[in-house]
Amino acid sequence: MHKLLLSLCLIFLSITVNAEVIGKEGISPAIIDQIYKKHGNALDFTVEKKIHFSQDLLKISYKEGEERFVDYFRPDGHFFVSGLLIAADDMMFSDSKDKLKAAFNDYKIKQAVLIVNPNGAGEEYDVALETAGKGWNVLIDKKGNVEKTELD
């Protein structure tokens, strides 16, 4: 019984951590320094824990002036890759839109980020969408498969 409760708690924590949004104070000083070297006037930081290319990453969004930027870092502070904010119409693999339609009958894409693996092992998409009043964080892998995690 104790093992079952422990397992359920761990599952709940892993789901919660996957959707966790962290404030600027949760970003390590080493990461902040790296961002400020490229974007000295960066503001409005948000951080989410993500998994891309089977790696734990931190997705850090911020803006400088009117432009929005997204960078991915490893939890130890090492830079992974800059994400490319893209228009929903330009995004995804050939059958991804059909797969999104199958997974989410009616949806609106709020943000789409193209992530290119710096090791040359393909691309993935990090998509925030809304459907039926709920926010979803969706990973579209290099095969075009849709994996979803509820945000709200």
Side-chain angles (χ1 to χ4, degrees):
M1 180 69 174
H2 292 292
K3 287 182 182 180
L4 176 63
L5 287 175
L6 180 61
S7 296
L8 289 174
C9 287
L10 290 174
I11 290 169
F12 175 75
L13 286 174
S14 69
I15 290 169
T16 304
V17 167
N18 195 29
E20 184 179 358
V21 176
I22 306 166
K24 180 182 176 187
E25 60 280 352
I27 305 172
S28 77
I31 292 174
I32 291 291
D33 288 346
Q34 289 179 64
I35 292 171
Y36 280 142
K37 283 179 185 173
K38 292 191 307 186
H39 301 280
N41 296 315
L43 299 168
D44 298 333
F45 290 86
T46 59
V47 183
E48 296 175 66
K49 293 182 179 183
K50 298 285 191 167
I51 296 175
H52 284 287
F53 308 106
S54 301
Q55 296 185 50
D56 290 327
L57 298 173
L58 298 174
K59 174 186 177 182
I60 302 178
S61 302
Y62 54 94
K63 72 182 213 177
E64 184 176 40
E66 295 300 313
E67 289 189 77
R68 298 244 12 121
F69 298 91
V70 178
D71 289 332
Y72 293 82
F73 289 83
R74 292 185 176 91
D76 65 4
H78 287 93
F79 177 75
F80 184 71
V81 70
S82 290
L84 177 62
L85 290 166
I86 57 174
D89 293 338
D90 297 336
M91 67 179 254
M92 297 184 261
F93 307 102
S94 58
D95 60 345
S96 295
K97 289 181 184 180
D98 293 334
K99 289 180 180 181
L100 271 177
K101 200 79 152 152
F104 303 97
N105 190 23
D106 185 32
Y107 64 89
K108 179 181 179 186
I109 294 176
K110 297 173 8 181
Q111 183 184 65
V113 181
L114 171 64
I115 303 134
V116 178
N117 189 336
N119 298 324
E123 302 173 334
E124 290 183 346
Y125 292 90
D126 192 350
V127 181
L129 59 84
E130 187 174 306
T131 183
K134 290 186 178 182
W136 290 87
N137 188 353
V138 178
L139 166 70
I140 299 176
D141 68 16
K142 62 185 176 185
K143 295 179 182 175
N145 297 319
V146 174
E147 298 178 22
K148 55 190 174 186
T149 305
E150 188 171 2
L151 287 175
D152 298 326

